[in-house]
């Protein structure tokens, strides 16, 4: 069965304190790995897609990387506005089944 | 302009009732989805429609039925509502794999 796990469940950082979020996946052939940001009371907002091991994508203070078993979302010098829940999702090789992880709730304190 | 919209935003109803949630996207995307996010914030795919054809149907009760009058709309009908149906329901659309989510409908069954 396809599965996605994320760690840690929650993370508190001081402003400027860099860290990484982990997403581990078990899918029958990975077609794509996706990162989303979700603010309270809102729908998830797309951040990145990664398709193959070794691939990296960057956007402002965020960088996503992918290996054959996991993905990392690196946050460099975070700001309070980066506080949100970060979700990762895996798409299987059939291209039909998106499996989301439980998310990491990030709080960045000023 | 709102890319993916849902109505209503909140829905409170009694057990046993039948209700519908509407979703519209103005992005011209070919595929639309319905997700359920439970109290633990797990996002689980329920249905997806591609050009009016159901291509994923996860093991959801047949009380749930998606209906797509055209490519821009995917409505969710729920019959005989149960307490366990209480959750936030998200509609999403995509052209390739990156999904754009609506703001969600919080359903409360009393």
């Amino acid at each position: 069965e396809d599965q996605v796990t994320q760690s840690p469940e929650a993370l508190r950082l001081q402003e400027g304190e860099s860290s990484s979020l982990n997403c581990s996946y078990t899918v029958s052939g990975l077609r794509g790995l996706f990162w989303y940001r979700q603010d309270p009371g809102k729908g998830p907002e797309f951040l990145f897609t990664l398709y193959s091991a070794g691939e990296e994508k960057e956007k402002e203070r965020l960088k996503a990387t992918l290996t054959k078993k996991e993905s990392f979302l690196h946050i460099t010098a975070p700001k309070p506005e980066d506080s949100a829940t970060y979700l990762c999702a895996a798409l299987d090789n059939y291209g039909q089944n998106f499996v989301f992880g439980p998310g990491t709730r990030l709080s960045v304190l000023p | 302009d709102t890319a993916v919209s849902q109505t209503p935003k909140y829905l409170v109803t009694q057990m046993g009732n039948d209700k519908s949630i509407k979703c519209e996207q103005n992005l011209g995307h070919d595929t639309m989805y319905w997700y359920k996010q439970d109290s633990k914030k797990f996002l689980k795919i329920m249905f997806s429609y591609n050009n009016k054809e159901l291509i994923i149907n996860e093991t959801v009760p047949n009380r749930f039925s998606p209906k797509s009058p055209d490519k821009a709309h995917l409505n969710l009908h729920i019959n005989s509502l149960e307490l366990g149906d209480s959750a936030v329901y998200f509609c999403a659309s995509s052209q390739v794999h990156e999904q754009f989510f609506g703001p969600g409908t919080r359903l409360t069954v009393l």
Side-chain angles (χ1 to χ4, degrees), chain B residues 55-82:
Chain B
I55 60 173
I56 297 179
N57 187 346
E58 289 293 300
T59 54
V60 299
N62 57 14
R63 299 181 293 104
F64 292 79
S65 56
K67 287 185 171 53
S68 180
D70 55 57
K71 199 173 85 166
H73 296 84
L74 182 65
N75 303 324
L76 183 65
H77 297 276
I78 315 169
N79 295 325
S80 303
L81 277 155
E82 301 178 356

Side-chain angles (χ1 to χ4, degrees), chain A residues 12-80:
Chain A
R12 299 182 76 175
L13 299 173
Q14 289 295 135
E15 185 171 1
E17 180 186 1
S18 301
S19 188
S20 297
L21 314 182
N22 174 268
C23 169
S24 297
Y25 62 90
T26 308
V27 297
S28 50
L30 182 74
R31 177 168 285 195
L33 189 291
F34 306 85
W35 283 97
Y36 289 84
R37 169 191 170 128
Q38 186 173 23
D39 292 298
K42 295 189 176 181
E45 176 187 347
F46 171 74
L47 293 174
F48 302 110
T49 306
L50 301 165
Y51 289 107
S52 56
E55 189 176 358
E56 298 184 354
K57 293 272 180 75
E58 282 191 68
K59 181 181 178 179
E60 296 180 355
R61 295 177 293 283
L62 301 177
K63 183 168 82 171
T65 62
L66 181 66
T67 72
K68 288 187 177 180
K69 293 185 178 181
E70 55 191 352
S71 177
F72 293 93
L73 185 65
H74 308 277
I75 304 176
T76 302
K79 298 182 177 181

